[in-house]
Amino acid sequence: MAQRFFFPVIVGSLLLATGSIWLRQVSLIVPEPYLDEVFHIPQAQAYCEGKWHIWDPKITTPPGLYLIAQVLGPITKYFSTSGCDTFSLRLQNCFAVVVAIPIVAGRLHKLLQSQADSRGAGKPATNSPGGGRASYFTVHTALNVALFPPLFFFSTLYYTDPWSVFWVLLAHPVLCSSGASRWRALLGNSILFATGILALLFRQTNIFWVTVFYGGLNIVQRLESMSTQPAAMNAKVLTFQDVATRSWKSGYIYDPLVCEAWFEDYLKATLSLFLAALGNIRPVLLTTIPYLALLGTFGAFTLWNGGVVLGDKSNHVASLHLSQILYIWPYIIFFSFPLVYPYVAKALPEGTVSRLLGFSNSPIRIRPRLSIALAFAGFMLCTVHFNTIVHPFLLADNRHYMFYVFRWFLLRHPATKYFAVPVYLVCGWTAITALGGAQVPADNNARTKTLREKGGGGNKLATTRSNKVSFVIVWLAATALSLVTAPLVEPRYFILPWVMWRLYLPNSVFLAERASNEKGSRSGTLAYLKSILDCGFRNRVWIETAWFLLVNFLTMYAFLYRGFNWHQEPGNVQRFMW
């Protein structure tokens, strides 16, 4: 029991210490508002003074951030001269990242894992939220979400991102649910609507997460509960016509596990969900009442405002920017490489790194077929050729890392951007496949026992927590809608897609096993490298923590101590940031 509470205390202390150091250094070296803080901080201070009629026309987002200052100001004033000075306002964001977000993310992760266990065939495994390692994975996941570099960086700058993430997570239906009775359902829908509105007060694109993503997941869950035909049949033999007929007539849901799905399964699942929803339109509409109310409210605001953004509309015109869907894949893999590198290795041709490092026998079974890979590569090439948008702000500001990504790599030569397509393809396949976990036979041979020990799994090692295809479809839809309308490429825009991907990532128990069971293995550098890589998911989560700490240290150091000057603004130190 003591060990169960000891780990959360250690993790909380680590997070608080890291956040405190970061806040202290920023306050000492950059005491004045920096970059977008020049707009946000004076606006919050105007609200603190009761000047509600004042609004900076350069601010594009709603006033949620400044309303939070009204609530937390009386508390943060005990740590500074007032509740709305620069330090106090930054402290409020630091509180969001090191306290509020980890608590909500941890709770949400635990409920999602419990929900996945309840839908499985057997009882929860040892490392499930109901088992002995429940607090371990939940707390550690919450820690890593808070340490996610693009999010943690803005914990001490007065930007909208920390509180935006908090309210979107808090609006998750799993957290808002109050029960099955009529009054409890009404209470849950009211809470969901209220938290959704609060999320929209921080960023307009949150509409896609609180309606499309959460609403889509709720619709799938409702359709599955209403289906009159069990999904235990041999679904793989069903044709498109079979799926369409059964979905329309009996509400059958074709929704295989990601770890078992091929590309055509995603098409079948989309068709099945669409027809099943049409066939049960009344209960589906009842399920989506709070989400339709949110959409209606947002639509009314857009009409009243004459557009989505509040201010500076000429520089924030919505456009179709399909390349954003490509940029997110390297983004996910760069930050989550410690968790997904077995998938990356497996995506490579046999006989290369995959075999060299011992991944050729890993339980990852599905590699994209050549025809499908070529089709997606063709789509990506067309997207890169016809829809690469370079916003004027992107190449006009060398303080942001994306400036160097485009200047040094994607735009270095007219042909360079096309060479990035294989990277998009491999990273996209890796990120999607990782959502399926890995299937391991539930027998008792030596290989299974070895994997069981490495992963800390229970008696039955076959994957029960693999996400279903429907989740990937809904997540992709919300991600695409939230990104493709933004002409500017900013790492901050990808924070929520990554957070949702990370919270739903299965606690896979596999990794490469040595084919010889460590007998007769060669010594030397290669064997040492294999011993490092041959670790379970629990150890890879620790590697993820170390990776995040390293990236945070480097970006914090660059921001604080590697400033530079623009000749047109002498004396003003410019700083590197996301």
Side-chain angles (χ1 to χ4, degrees):
M1 182 63 68
Q3 185 178 5
R4 182 177 181 180
F5 292 100
F6 182 71
F7 182 69
V9 170
I10 293 297
V11 165
S13 301
L14 170 65
L15 191 55
L16 285 173
T18 307
S20 300
I21 294 172
W22 179 218
L23 177 62
R24 180 178 182 274
Q25 292 303 111
V26 171
S27 300
L28 289 175
I29 299 175
V30 194
E32 299 299 321
Y34 181 72
L35 211 60
D36 286 4
E37 285 187 318
V38 173
F39 309 111
H40 293 308
I41 289 179
Q43 184 63 56
Q45 291 171 342
Y47 274 32
C48 288
E49 296 172 1
K51 300 177 181 178
W52 303 97
H53 63 283
I54 293 179
W55 183 260
D56 191 330
K58 288 291 184 180
I59 295 176
T60 62
T61 52
L65 187 63
Y66 323 124
L67 297 176
I68 285 287
Q70 296 284 294
V71 177
L72 297 181
I75 300 174
T76 55
K77 71 178 182 181
Y78 292 105
F79 300 91
S80 186
T81 56
S82 71
C84 277
D85 61 349
T86 300
F87 176 81
S88 296
L89 294 174
R90 288 173 173 175
L91 178 61
Q92 294 172 16
N93 269 18
C94 188
F95 172 80
V97 173
V98 303
V99 179
I101 289 177
I103 291 175
V104 175
R107 177 62 177 166
L108 178 57
H109 181 264
K110 181 176 181 178
L111 291 174
L112 291 174
Q113 293 296 305
S114 297
Q115 189 180 72
D117 282 329
S118 66
R119 293 178 183 176
K123 59 183 179 180
T126 310
N127 60 348
S128 71
R133 290 189 172 88
S135 61
Y136 176 88
F137 284 114
T138 295
V139 172
H140 207 160
T141 298
L143 168 68
N144 286 359
V145 168
L147 288 176
F148 182 54
L151 176 62
F152 186 80
F153 183 88
F154 292 101
S155 64
T156 57
L157 294 177
Y158 199 56
Y159 276 60
T160 59
D161 302 277
W163 286 107
S164 171
V165 171
F166 169 79
W167 286 109
V168 170
L169 291 180
L170 197 62
H172 196 290
V174 171
L175 296 176
C176 296
S177 177
S178 298
S181 68
R182 176 182 299 180
W183 293 111
R184 286 183 176 272
L186 178 61
L187 175 62
N189 287 339
S190 301
I191 295 174
L192 196 153
F193 177 78
T195 51
I197 291 294
L198 289 171
L200 293 178
L201 286 177
F202 290 85
R203 179 158 291 169
Q204 294 91 322
T205 53
N206 288 345
I207 186 66
F208 300 115
W209 293 103
V210 298
T211 58
V212 175
F213 184 64
Y214 293 158
L217 294 180
N218 252 11
I219 290 174
V220 172
Q221 185 176 354
R222 182 62 185 272
L223 290 175
E224 287 179 344
S225 66
M226 295 173 54
S227 178
T228 59
Q229 198 169 106
M233 64 180 67
N234 186 11
K236 287 295 181 181
V237 301
L238 295 179
T239 64
F240 279 92
Q241 184 175 355
D242 294 332
V243 170
T245 302
R246 296 174 187 232
S247 298
W248 176 256
K249 291 183 176 180
S250 60
Y252 167 71
I253 303 299
Y254 184 88
D255 197 10
L257 299 176
V258 174
C259 59
E260 299 174 346
W262 298 90
F263 175 69
E264 56 267 25
D265 292 317
Y266 288 87
L267 301 180
K268 290 179 182 178
T270 303
L271 176 65
S272 175
L273 292 170
F274 176 73
L275 293 177
L278 282 182
N280 298 277
I281 192 64
R282 185 174 181 275
V284 166
L285 288 177
L286 290 175
T287 301
T288 58
I289 285 177
Y291 309 107
L292 293 176
L294 284 170
L295 281 173
T297 304
F298 184 76
F301 159 77
T302 303
L303 291 175
W304 169 82
N305 184 57
V308 175
V309 297
L310 269 72
D312 199 19
K313 296 179 180 179
S314 61
N315 289 316
H316 295 83
V317 179
S319 59
L320 185 63
H321 193 182
L322 296 177
S323 293
Q324 296 271 33
I325 306 175
L326 306 183
Y327 302 146
I328 191 175
W329 304 122
Y331 179 95
I332 290 176
I333 301 307
F334 173 79
F335 289 111
S336 298
F337 190 77
L339 299 180
V340 301
Y341 64 78
Y343 297 96
V344 177
K346 193 63 179 176
L348 300 175
E350 293 287 350
T352 56
V353 178
S354 177
R355 184 178 297 278
L356 184 66
L357 296 181
F359 290 99
S360 57
N361 294 321
S362 74
I364 310 172
R365 300 185 300 118
I366 299 180
R367 183 183 289 111
R369 294 193 297 270
L370 180 60
S371 58
I372 300 298
L374 290 176
F376 272 98
F379 167 77
M380 291 178 177
L381 284 170
C382 291
T383 301
V384 168
H385 182 76
F386 294 106
N387 200 240
T388 296
I389 298 175
V390 182
H391 195 280
F393 287 178
L394 185 63
L395 298 182
D397 193 342
N398 64 346
R399 293 171 294 186
H400 296 281
Y401 294 124
M402 291 309 300
F403 169 90
Y404 301 96
V405 171
F406 274 79
R407 179 62 64 89
W408 290 356
F409 298 102
L410 296 180
L411 301 180
R412 189 176 186 88
H413 185 274
T416 307
K417 59 184 179 181
Y418 300 105
F419 293 129
V421 166
V423 177
Y424 301 146
L425 187 63
V426 172
C427 291
W429 178 88
T430 302
I432 297 299
T433 305
L435 288 171
Q439 282 190 314
V440 183
D443 52 35
N444 292 317
N445 59 27
R447 176 174 181 266
T448 302
K449 291 179 180 179
T450 302
L451 290 173
R452 196 181 287 142
E453 292 172 0
K454 292 175 183 177
N459 294 328
K460 186 175 182 180
L461 208 55
T463 298
T464 58
R465 286 204 197 128
S466 172
N467 290 291
K468 291 186 176 182
V469 165
S470 60
F471 168 78
V472 176
I473 295 171
V474 175
W475 178 78
L476 283 175
T479 298
L481 289 171
S482 66
L483 294 178
V484 297
T485 57
L488 186 61
V489 182
E490 283 201 41
R492 294 186 295 134
Y493 297 165
F494 301 117
I495 291 177
L496 269 174
W498 179 89
V499 169
M500 295 303 178
W501 178 89
R502 181 62 182 86
L503 288 176
Y504 279 86
L505 189 69
N507 293 339
S508 305
V509 297
F510 80 94
L511 195 57
E513 63 168 328
R514 296 164 190 159
S516 59
N517 260 346
E518 300 184 359
K519 293 182 179 180
S521 59
R522 293 179 294 176
S523 60
T525 305
L526 182 59
Y528 179 71
L529 181 59
K530 284 183 178 181
S531 67
I532 294 177
L533 295 177
D534 193 11
C535 60
F537 186 85
R538 180 175 59 181
N539 294 330
R540 298 207 305 279
V541 175
W542 276 112
I543 298 175
E544 181 188 41
T545 304
W547 172 238
F548 284 176
L549 289 172
L550 175 62
V551 174
N552 282 325
F553 172 78
L554 294 176
T555 52
M556 290 156 57
Y557 180 83
F559 178 79
L560 295 174
Y561 304 110
R562 282 292 180 262
F564 58 96
N565 290 283
W566 286 345
H567 68 273
Q568 65 269 30
E569 295 184 18
N572 290 334
V573 179
Q574 311 301 328
R575 303 181 184 278
F576 296 107
M577 61 190 301
W578 291 107

